[in-house]
Amino acid sequence: MRQQTISGVRLIEVPGNYKEKSLSSVVAEGLSKRQKSLPCRFFYDEVGSELFEQICKLPEYYLTRTERKILELNACEIIEAVGHDVTLVEFGSGNSAKTRLLVDAAFKRQNHVHYIPIDISSDFLLASSINLLSEYERLSITAIAAEYNDALPILPHPDDEPRLFLFLGSNIGNFSRLEAVAFVAQICRQMNREDRLLIGFDLVKDRNLLEAAYNDAAGITAAFNKNLLTRINHELGAEFILDSFTHWAPFVEEHSRIEMRLISRHRQTVYIDALEQTFHFESEEYIHTENSHKYTLETFAEICHAAGLEIQQRWLDERAWFGVALLKKIG
Ligand code: AVI
């Protein structure tokens, strides 16, 4: 573990514990399965992250702006419900617009705010922390560059002062039910009675609205999905022809989730140099690249319960498209 202070930001780096598999091993494994699949975390290289920012501004992608609206209207109530002298701990450091709403609300009730963003990318973490710090005089930042698992046990915990953990943006929806319970349970184990967890989750709604959000007219989500193939071409010397695959993201009711797919337009083979292997695709066969779960109030509460937390308070937008829940330890 390395600690240093850069431009006022206390940066803690927890290196080495990289349990995640490399791109080449997940591609070899994922494309060899009967149902081909690739994990969605590989969407986010520089191009993918930029495309995701564009997705968040799309007219069809209601998630980001709906959650932001809920926070705009309720940030003060949220902070009040947590208590005095709140420390903010955020998983991921990309939600700066939403973070600011909570930081502003905290400053209305306290003199000083401590913000702790956790992100695997130390460059991105530092840049966004320095940016935030320059805007607030009485803000202090401890930025933790680590995997969430490694960061949780080393989090500062001021005596009797509540920490508000933030997991926003419907990121929980990209986990399977089992992964979601495991992740929330892991946070729960680190929480004291006075700590709270705030989760943003997307709600089940009309299929047309859901599918429009993931199959936008401008084709940005298609480019985001196909960027995975571009990455494999560049990084593993593969020969994917992007036009030979179609992006389609249906709502699969049985699992209550949007499934991001890359569908082969015709029968084809693709050679991947780094693996010295050729992969076969039938016409219409697809690579499953992401799940985005949509909850009912009951299914979401059930995940929280299974992880040891209960809902203290919950906010929805006026159309009940998106929810933000404040959670505390059961009992
Ligand atoms: C990051 N995550 C919450 C997004 C979602 O809606 O599941 C990723 C995304 N995939 C396609 N569009 C957006």
Side-chain angles (χ1 to χ4, degrees):
M1 192 162 97
R2 193 162 77 133
Q3 290 198 40
Q4 53 189 322
T5 301
I6 303 173
S7 304
V9 174
R10 182 166 164 238
L11 177 69
I12 302 178
E13 291 171 288
V14 188
N17 242 339
Y18 239 88
K19 292 170 218 97
E20 303 280 16
K21 293 183 190 153
S22 66
L23 181 64
S24 64
S25 63
V26 301
V27 170
E29 196 181 309
L31 298 188
S32 303
K33 291 195 292 199
R34 189 206 277 269
Q35 171 56 69
K36 293 182 169 58
S37 69
L38 293 169
C40 62
R41 67 191 156 88
F42 286 101
F43 280 143
Y44 302 93
D45 64 351
E46 222 179 306
V47 175
S49 301
E50 167 55 32
L51 286 166
F52 181 62
E53 294 220 343
Q54 289 182 38
I55 288 175
C56 293
K57 294 178 196 143
L58 287 170
E60 299 96 329
Y61 194 76
Y62 59 85
L63 290 84
T64 313
R65 81 177 64 87
T66 309
E67 184 184 55
R68 189 181 318 121
K69 188 84 197 160
I70 295 172
L71 293 176
E72 268 166 25
L73 292 173
N74 301 294
C76 288
E77 201 178 325
I78 293 169
I79 296 291
E80 229 175 283
V82 181
H84 288 287
D85 292 318
V86 177
T87 292
L88 297 169
V89 182
E90 182 159 30
F91 296 100
S93 56
N95 282 317
S96 47
K98 293 174 205 160
T99 310
R100 280 172 176 79
L101 292 170
L102 291 161
V103 169
D104 287 339
F107 270 126
K108 290 204 173 115
R109 289 170 52 90
Q110 57 198 67
N111 262 328
H112 174 260
V113 176
H114 190 193
Y115 172 59
I116 308 175
I118 306 167
D119 203 293
I120 190 68
S121 155
S122 121
D123 290 348
F124 187 65
L125 186 65
L126 192 61
S128 55
S129 297
I130 292 172
N131 212 350
L132 197 64
L133 201 60
S134 70
E135 290 172 38
Y136 297 90
E137 246 178 58
R138 289 169 291 121
L139 181 72
S140 60
I141 302 186
T142 303
I144 305 187
E147 288 200 52
Y148 296 158
N149 309 357
D150 299 326
L152 276 167
I154 62 159
L155 286 175
H157 193 198
D159 280 346
D160 296 330
E161 286 174 11
R163 297 175 298 181
L164 174 59
F165 294 90
L166 308 172
F167 194 49
L168 298 171
S170 181
N171 285 323
I172 192 163
N174 298 132
F175 288 147
S176 69
R177 186 192 174 282
L178 227 62
E179 290 166 342
V181 171
F183 179 70
V184 175
Q186 201 184 3
I187 299 171
C188 176
R189 280 194 290 278
Q190 300 294 328
M191 282 167 72
N192 283 2
R193 298 260 153 253
E194 68 273 15
D195 293 334
R196 297 290 180 268
L197 168 62
L198 192 71
I199 300 187
F201 59 102
D202 198 14
L203 288 161
V204 178
K205 57 186 68 61
D206 184 273
R207 163 188 295 278
N208 295 318
L209 290 165
L210 287 169
E211 290 185 347
Y214 291 83
N215 298 277
D216 60 284
I220 308 292
T221 311
F224 176 69
N225 202 3
K226 286 188 177 188
N227 180 52
L228 214 44
L229 301 183
T230 308
R231 257 195 97 164
I232 299 170
N233 281 349
H234 288 162
E235 294 177 37
L236 303 179
E239 293 170 356
F240 279 105
I241 299 167
L242 298 201
D243 284 344
S244 297
F245 288 85
T246 309
H247 159 80
W248 172 234
F251 179 61
V252 179
E253 211 164 329
E254 188 194 347
H255 300 296
S256 199
R257 69 190 185 201
I258 287 281
E259 290 189 7
M260 293 265 282
R261 298 175 179 176
L262 288 166
I263 307 173
S264 176
R265 281 176 188 262
H266 47 79
R267 207 157 184 242
Q268 57 181 315
T269 55
V270 178
Y271 180 68
I272 304 185
D273 196 33
L275 304 176
E276 293 179 4
Q277 222 177 320
T278 300
F279 295 90
H280 299 270
F281 293 85
E282 292 299 326
S283 172
E284 299 296 311
E285 185 180 0
Y286 66 87
I287 312 174
H288 183 172
T289 54
E290 185 185 55
N291 290 318
S292 193
H293 289 88
K294 310 301 165 191
Y295 305 99
T296 62
L297 296 177
E298 290 74 30
T299 56
F300 179 74
E302 199 263 319
I303 285 178
C304 300
H305 272 247
L309 297 178
E310 64 186 352
I311 298 178
Q312 175 181 330
Q313 214 170 327
R314 191 187 62 201
W315 297 265
L316 306 181
D317 61 294
E318 55 197 13
R319 295 177 294 197
W321 280 8
F322 199 92
V324 171
L326 187 67
L327 304 157
K328 61 175 184 178
K329 279 192 124 149
I330 293 175

